């Protein structure tokens, strides 16, 4: 078996042209990991006292909005198979495992007056077992599964959600802080606010393009900051952990060298990444976001800007609430100006406020519409985040390749991840970016939101047709295992 794996890896290294890869050793202390999220893997949607959450409701109420009418009702059944998942992680040799807590498994109504002991027990067992196996749990408190009760009072457009989130976070810090030393408050607010509250493409499926996205962004950064302060003031000194947020963004590359496209690309970065990162790492919304929305709102006849204003107190409360920068990224866009700030007045919308449009180069390797293999874009993004947000330590909390076939012989995934890790080394050694960890998405093929099970991102295949949800490591798993062991992408590193 070992010989077969070795020969496969050798053959792969020839196919992939290792000479293109950075041949430096990963720095001492660099952390390799793999990631998942509660709804995407756990299943057990209504077992042992768990409450209903947004995606249970969404997949059950609008089955046609999900490819093949799939749901996460069973998913990878990790609620029952978590020990096997940890065995896989152990054999892989990762330093950390990024996973999330299901808010409604812990607090069935979303509120702290009803804590589910089975939920506490489930996560405590996992975190404890990870520690026993020398794997650091990187725990996300919120990966899109909002308790339905909180959705019903307005979800991420209601500032009260920020209070409920902080109260939930306090329970998690108190119950799990002995084992968990790296906390992530919220996963990808951009995906939720754009997908869920503007484009109507993710739960809850709203097209509130004119204001919903901004309200959603406001409530997210406020919720994050409240949870951060709870940790900082009540737990940090006794638990000695760290806490941040995960922000996602593709790299925005100007479509041409024209000054207009260069400015458009920066505008895109501020409206996609800066809306969430700026309040937390620099204070307040990015200026261009404030200006564009104010100008357009006025021309559109609104009595005030459609962008919620932070008070000075809120700006100070939110600014500086991150111990590192958690970054998720999958692709790159070529950005050009779509409309000027005073053009196309009449339809209030985020897209027109942003004023840009994005395309891809058809030559970029890709198997699904939203992932393209553009490693140089990743390197530029790392450098940009590092310079723009005050030189934070960056942990890549998600990155990976999606394919439709789910093949075990996943050469394309190995190609993508090796090129991205190579770009990461370039950013570290050549550009001086303090990037301290990398987390592949995902450990397992899993419920890929509205794409159901039609897109696979796992380095371990899951057979969704078997009751056992049989797990089989793919070639990329063995390849990644070797990289972690050798801390090197090529045969011999310098
Ligand atoms: C999300 C994951 C998702 C992955 C691939 C990220 O946006 O955090 O939950 O599965 O992308 O789509």
């Amino acid at each position: 078996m070992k010989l077969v794996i070795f020969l496969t890896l050798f053959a792969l290294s020839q196919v992939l042209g290792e000479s293109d890869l950075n041949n430096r050793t990963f720095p001492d202390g660099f952390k390799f990991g793999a990631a998942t999220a509660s709804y995407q893997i756990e299943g057990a949607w209504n077992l042992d006292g768990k409450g209903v959450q947004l995606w249970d409701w969404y997949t059950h109420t609008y089955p046609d909005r999900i490819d093949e009418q799939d749901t996460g009702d069973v998913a990878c059944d990790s609620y029952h198979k978590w020990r096997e998942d940890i065995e896989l992680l152990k054999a892989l040799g990762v330093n950390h495992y990024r996973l999330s807590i299901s808010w409604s498994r812990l607090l069935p109504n979303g509120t702290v007056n009803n804590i589910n002991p089975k939920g506490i027990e489930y996560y405590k067992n996992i975190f404890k077992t990870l520690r026993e196996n020398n794997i650091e749990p990187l725990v996300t408190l919120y990966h899109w599964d909002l308790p339905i009760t909180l959705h019903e009072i307005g979800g991420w457009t209601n500032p009260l959600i920020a209070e409920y989130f902080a109260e939930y976070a306090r329970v998690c810090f108190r119950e799990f802080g002995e084992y968990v030393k790296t906390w992530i408050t919220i996963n990808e607010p951009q995906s939720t606010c754009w997908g869920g509250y503007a484009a109507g493409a993710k739960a809850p499926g709203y097209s509130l393009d004119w204001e919903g996205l901004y309200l959603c962004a406001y409530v997210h950064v406020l919720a994050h900051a409240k949870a951060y302060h709870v940790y900082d003031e009540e737990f940090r000194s006794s638990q000695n952990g760290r806490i941040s947020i995960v922000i996602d963004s593709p790299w925005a590359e100007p479509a041409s060298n024209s000054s207009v496209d260069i400015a458009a690309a920066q505008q895109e970065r501020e409206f996609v990444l800066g809306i969430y990162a700026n309040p937390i790492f620099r204070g307040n919304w990015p200026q261009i976001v404030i200006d564009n929305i104010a100008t357009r709102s006025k021309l559109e006849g609104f009595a005030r800007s459609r962008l919620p204003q932070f008070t000075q107190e809120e700006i100070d409360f939110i600014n500086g609430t991150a111990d590192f920068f958690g970054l998720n990224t999958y692709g790159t866009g070529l950005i050009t100006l779509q409309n000027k700030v005073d053009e196309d007045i009449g339809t209030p919308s985020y897209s027109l406020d942003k004023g840009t449009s994005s395309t891809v180069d058809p030559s970029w390797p890709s198997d699904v519409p939203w992932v393209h293999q553009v490693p140089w874009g990743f390197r530029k993004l790392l450098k940009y985040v590092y310079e723009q947000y005050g030189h934070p330590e960056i942990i890549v909390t998600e990155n990976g390749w999606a394919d439709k076939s789910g093949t075990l012989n996943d050469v394309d995934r190995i190609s993508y991840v090796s090129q991205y890790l190579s770009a990461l080394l370039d950013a570290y050694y050549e550009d001086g970016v303090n990037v301290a960890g990398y987390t592949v998405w995902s450990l397992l093929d899993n419920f890929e939101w509205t794409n159901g099970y039609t897109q696979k991102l796992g380095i371990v295949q899951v057979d969704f047709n078997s009751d056992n949800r049989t797990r089989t490591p793919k070639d990329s798993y063995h390849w990644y295992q070797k990289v972690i062991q050798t801390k090197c992408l090529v045969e011999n590193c310098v």
Side-chain angles (χ1 to χ4, degrees):
M1 178 66 179
K2 277 205 169 128
L3 182 68
V4 173
I5 292 169
F6 174 78
L7 289 174
T8 314
L9 293 175
F10 179 74
L12 281 172
S13 65
Q14 304 302 301
V15 175
L16 297 174
E18 276 195 346
S19 56
D20 296 350
L21 300 174
N22 191 309
N23 66 351
R24 305 282 294 267
T25 309
F26 281 88
D28 280 346
F30 186 83
K31 302 277 197 304
F32 292 96
T36 60
S38 46
Y39 183 62
Q40 295 181 272
I41 65 160
E42 284 179 6
W45 76 279
N46 59 356
L47 289 190
D48 289 345
K50 176 180 163 292
V52 173
Q53 48 84 13
L54 186 66
W55 279 87
D56 297 324
W57 165 78
Y58 197 65
T59 55
H60 296 163
T61 313
Y62 303 106
D64 291 340
R65 296 190 189 174
I66 317 291
D67 281 358
E68 302 189 351
Q69 304 203 335
D70 288 328
T71 72
D73 289 0
V74 181
C76 307
D77 198 21
S78 289
Y79 188 68
H80 298 108
K81 294 178 71 82
W82 60 271
R83 285 179 200 279
E84 206 179 307
D85 296 345
I86 295 181
E87 284 303 315
L88 284 163
L89 289 160
K90 196 178 155 189
L92 183 60
V94 284
N95 305 100
H96 65 254
Y97 177 39
R98 177 173 174 234
L99 72 166
S100 76
I101 296 175
S102 160
W103 187 340
S104 67
R105 195 177 294 290
L106 216 64
L107 310 180
N109 307 319
T111 53
V112 294
N113 60 340
N114 177 15
I115 301 179
N116 177 17
K118 291 269 192 191
I120 303 269
E121 190 190 327
Y122 173 63
Y123 292 110
K124 218 174 238 180
N125 281 335
I126 293 181
F127 301 148
K128 203 165 162 241
T129 311
L130 285 169
R131 281 278 169 215
E132 284 163 4
N133 286 287
N134 258 325
I135 301 167
E136 193 195 348
L138 239 73
V139 177
T140 311
L141 294 170
Y142 179 73
H143 201 121
W144 304 357
D145 38 6
L146 188 70
I148 200 67
T149 43
L150 301 183
H151 169 66
E152 283 165 353
I153 59 165
W156 288 105
T157 60
N158 181 353
L160 204 55
I161 299 303
E163 296 296 333
Y164 283 117
F165 180 69
E167 291 161 11
Y168 155 63
R170 180 180 287 112
V171 174
C172 294
F173 302 147
R174 188 181 67 216
E175 295 294 333
F176 309 128
E178 183 187 345
Y179 306 108
V180 180
K181 302 296 172 192
T182 307
W183 293 100
I184 289 156
T185 53
I186 292 171
N187 179 65
E188 297 194 358
Q190 195 274 139
S191 290
T192 301
C193 297
W194 166 245
Y197 289 87
K202 287 201 163 87
Y206 295 156
S207 304
L208 306 169
D209 192 11
W210 58 289
E211 184 151 27
L213 181 144
Y214 302 128
L215 263 177
C216 174
Y218 171 76
V219 178
H220 268 91
V221 293
L222 200 60
H224 157 78
K226 280 186 193 287
Y228 176 94
H229 285 292
V230 168
Y231 190 75
D232 205 40
E233 282 148 33
E234 301 172 31
F235 298 93
R236 188 191 290 278
S237 61
S238 58
Q239 297 187 352
N240 291 314
R242 302 200 298 166
I243 180 163
S244 188
I245 185 170
V246 160
I247 298 180
D248 66 303
S249 182
W251 171 243
E253 176 74 7
S256 76
N257 283 334
S258 75
S259 56
V260 174
D261 283 353
I262 291 171
Q266 183 54 22
Q267 206 159 305
E268 169 91 6
R269 288 171 210 139
E270 295 290 33
F271 269 85
V272 173
L273 169 63
I275 272 196
Y276 309 94
N278 215 79
I280 295 169
F281 289 88
R282 299 171 65 119
N284 208 352
W285 308 114
Q287 197 56 47
I288 186 124
V289 170
I290 297 175
D291 293 346
N292 274 22
I293 303 170
T295 304
R296 293 188 63 85
S297 301
K298 194 163 177 210
L299 292 172
E300 287 156 358
F302 283 84
R304 57 181 169 78
S305 172
R306 286 179 278 105
L307 181 71
Q309 310 285 300
F310 288 120
T311 63
Q312 189 57 46
E313 205 184 329
E314 285 173 332
I315 292 173
D316 297 339
F317 182 77
I318 297 166
N319 190 9
T321 53
D323 299 327
F324 58 92
F325 197 112
L327 179 66
N328 285 4
T329 189
Y330 289 86
T332 285
L334 297 174
I335 310 301
T336 189
L337 191 73
Q338 174 186 265
N339 59 280
K340 292 192 187 138
V341 67
D342 55 356
E343 277 174 0
D344 290 334
I345 300 300
T347 320
S349 95
Y350 166 74
S351 303
L352 292 167
D353 295 339
K354 177 158 74 74
T356 55
S357 64
S358 176
T359 53
V360 292
D361 181 329
S363 74
W364 293 342
S366 166
D367 194 34
V368 301
W370 58 275
V371 184
H372 295 88
Q373 184 170 328
V374 194
W376 55 260
F378 180 48
R379 177 175 174 179
K380 287 190 181 189
L381 177 66
L382 287 168
K383 186 164 187 278
Y384 176 80
V385 165
Y386 192 57
E387 286 170 359
Q388 179 79 0
Y389 298 112
H391 305 103
E393 174 186 321
I394 300 174
I395 300 178
V396 179
T397 34
E398 267 184 49
N399 175 247
W401 174 259
D403 61 40
K404 294 196 283 275
S405 74
T407 176
L408 290 176
N409 175 223
D410 53 345
V411 246
D412 293 343
R413 177 164 297 104
I414 298 177
S415 166
Y416 177 98
V417 177
S418 60
Q419 296 282 344
Y420 273 61
L421 281 171
S422 178
L424 180 150
L425 288 173
D426 294 343
Y428 181 85
Y429 284 113
E430 315 300 327
D431 307 335
V433 176
N434 179 16
V435 50
Y438 177 88
T439 319
V440 70
W441 183 275
S442 171
L443 175 67
L444 304 171
D445 288 341
N446 59 48
F447 179 76
E448 207 18 75
W449 309 110
T450 49
N451 294 311
Y453 299 99
T454 62
Q455 296 185 2
K456 320 281 187 188
L457 288 100
I459 55 172
V460 173
Q461 182 188 69
V462 176
D463 180 358
F464 294 103
N465 295 317
S466 80
D467 286 346
N468 190 34
R469 296 297 193 271
T470 310
R471 280 115 161 100
T472 312
K474 301 181 187 175
D475 287 349
S476 57
Y477 174 97
H478 298 295
W479 171 85
Y480 194 42
Q481 188 177 44
K482 187 174 166 224
V483 171
I484 298 171
Q485 256 165 28
T486 58
K487 293 180 177 286
C488 171
L489 295 171
V490 296
E491 225 20 65
N492 289 303
C493 270
V494 292

